[in-house]
Amino acid sequence: MKAVVCRSPGELVLEDRPAPGAPPAGWALVAVSHVGICGTDYHIFEGKHPFLAYPRIMGHEVSGTVVEIGEDVDLAVGEPVIINPYLACGKCIACLHGKPNCCVRIEVLGVHRDGAMAEQILVPARNLYPANGLSLADAAAVEFLAIGAHAVRRARAEPGARTLVIGAGPIGLGAALFARIAGLDVSLLDMSTERLDFAKGELGLATLDGSQKAAAELVREATGGEGFDVVFDATGNTASVQSAFAHVAHGGTLVLVSVVKDDIVFSDPEFHKREMTLIGSRNALKVDFDHVAASIRNGAVPLAKLVTHRTTLAGTPDDLARWAHEKSGLIKAVIEVG
């Protein structure tokens, strides 16, 4: 089969790879249809991912069609599916408590093991969700939106809660959209005027332009000095995460959606006097995938506006390398495989 392989940082090639072969019991062979390109993929290409062995086939935002099933699999050949790329052990403390998204031994397709920038992939059947009427192009967008949907569900905020999402990348936009779907009063903060213009003009989101004023001043103006009831940080920036503590109202909640490599330092007195709730949000669960798929079907998610760039498997080596540096106008890029 054809596959796009990141041989080493900066080296991305289209190769012939052995086909995966027949699926074992509990697994299915999927013909890949569409793959979204994630920030993680750009980091892998650039050599910035801390826990990755090369060479690697990337790709974890995936849709496809079941072409063969192993024993004890309740899926039909020909079934269009959404792939949940988080492969959990099913036995650790997190899995036993219904949280396979933070499994102790989790393996993410395209990161810890080869992913879906290829013509076929083997996946555990429990990680395949029927698309149920979603186009395969739309189905490939479910995973990245599920990250934000999961974060919003973790926050457990009441409708109307004054909410700030920091970071207008795809994950932040997803969090903002699903916060709005949950009935929260959402504002989006970023340093990029271009991204904020997109969020305001195309998605109808209220915005705070961090390139014009300090974030702390913008938050004071937007909330009368009270802070936001809920703050989501989706920047992946250590300084932003640390600053976000001060944007939270007394009695409020801070949700860390992105991950940074550094230690996070904050003022304990400021944290305690607010009686703040701090929440980590990792990956997503099936309930989040289902919520996202339903929201796409009912038109609550303007997906056609979010997918701004497209390429093919053969075009991916050149296009992904270019998009890693040329970000203007780029929100979400999708590879059309099948």
Side-chain angles (χ1 to χ4, degrees), residues 27-227:
W27 289 58
L29 179 65
V30 177
V32 177
S33 176
H34 291 73
V35 183
I37 300 176
C38 174
T40 298
D41 300 319
Y42 295 119
H43 289 157
I44 293 170
F45 171 72
E46 293 171 324
K48 296 178 180 178
H49 199 287
F51 308 115
L52 186 121
Y54 297 90
R56 176 63 71 226
I57 299 174
M58 301 181 292
H60 61 271
E61 303 175 5
V62 198
S63 67
T65 303
V66 175
V67 293
E68 189 176 349
I69 58 173
E71 294 180 6
D72 304 320
V73 172
D74 189 21
L75 285 167
V77 171
E79 179 91 61
V81 290
I82 302 161
I83 295 180
N84 178 335
Y86 322 128
L87 277 57
C89 72
K91 299 176 181 178
C92 72
I93 187 168
C95 289
L96 294 176
H97 283 92
K99 293 180 67 68
N101 60 304
C102 58
C103 168
V104 173
R105 290 174 285 276
I106 198 167
E107 290 187 302
V108 180
L109 296 177
V111 181
H112 304 98
R113 61 163 63 198
D114 281 343
M117 290 186 189
E119 292 178 316
Q120 293 185 330
I121 188 170
L122 283 172
V123 184
R126 65 176 178 269
N127 286 70
L128 300 176
Y129 309 146
N132 288 336
L134 277 188
S135 71
L136 285 168
D138 288 353
V142 172
E143 189 274 341
F144 93 84
L145 291 167
I147 302 293
H150 181 72
V152 170
R153 190 168 60 82
R154 291 271 291 146
R156 298 182 179 179
E158 295 292 331
R162 196 156 49 188
T163 300
L164 178 67
V165 177
I166 309 171
I171 300 301
L173 290 173
L177 288 170
F178 279 89
R180 183 169 67 185
I181 288 169
L184 310 187
D185 180 11
V186 186
S187 296
L188 184 67
L189 170 64
D190 199 274
M191 296 290 290
S192 169
T193 301
E194 179 184 1
R195 292 224 166 187
L196 292 176
D197 287 345
F198 172 86
K200 184 175 182 179
E202 298 296 331
L203 305 180
L205 292 165
T207 59
L208 303 177
D209 190 345
S211 70
Q212 300 300 311
K213 291 183 180 180
E217 185 177 352
L218 291 169
V219 169
R220 282 195 300 270
E221 292 176 354
T223 66
E226 293 180 335

Side-chain angles (χ1 to χ4, degrees), residues 21 36 69 104 142 169 177 184 195 210 222 232 237 241 248 255 257 299 323:
I69 58 173
V104 173
V142 172
L177 288 170
L184 310 187
R195 292 224 166 187
F232 298 90
N237 179 279
V241 172
V248 181
V255 184
V257 189
W323 295 334

